[in-house]
């Protein structure tokens, strides 16, 4: 597997993790329980981290692959 293929796999995995974490965040965000609110904040942090990882790996793919 080339670096381009590996970064594309990382991009797709990060996108899937981001979507799953976003659904987890939505589930726990408006709960009256303090523990559920904390779970929502953790889910949001994972969402933002996965989006950043996906953006970086996507930029690497675009740079190596020659852009548009």
């Amino acid at each position: 597997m080339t670096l381009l293929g590996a970064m594309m796999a990382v991009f797709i995995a990060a996108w899937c993790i981001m979507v799953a974490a976003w659904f987890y965040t939505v589930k726990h965000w408006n709960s009256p329980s303090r523990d559920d609110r904390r779970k929502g904040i953790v889910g949001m942090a994972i969402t933002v981290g996965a989006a950043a990882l996906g953006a970086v790996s996507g930029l690497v793919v675009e740079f190596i692959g020659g852009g548009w």
Side-chain angles (χ1 to χ4, degrees), residues 1-67:
M1 178 179 270
T2 64
L3 178 62
L4 184 64
M7 285 290 113
M8 194 63 184
V10 169
F11 175 77
I12 292 169
W15 188 86
C16 292
I17 291 168
M18 181 185 70
V19 170
W22 182 79
F23 280 119
Y24 182 83
T25 300
V26 168
K27 177 183 174 185
H28 293 291
W29 190 255
N30 287 326
S31 177
S33 171
R34 187 177 198 101
D35 289 335
D36 279 348
R37 180 70 111 152
R38 189 172 299 124
K39 288 178 183 178
I41 292 171
V42 168
M44 185 57 69
I46 293 170
T47 302
V48 170
L53 178 65
V56 169
S57 65
L59 286 172
V60 169
V61 168
E62 287 291 326
F63 181 72
I64 292 172

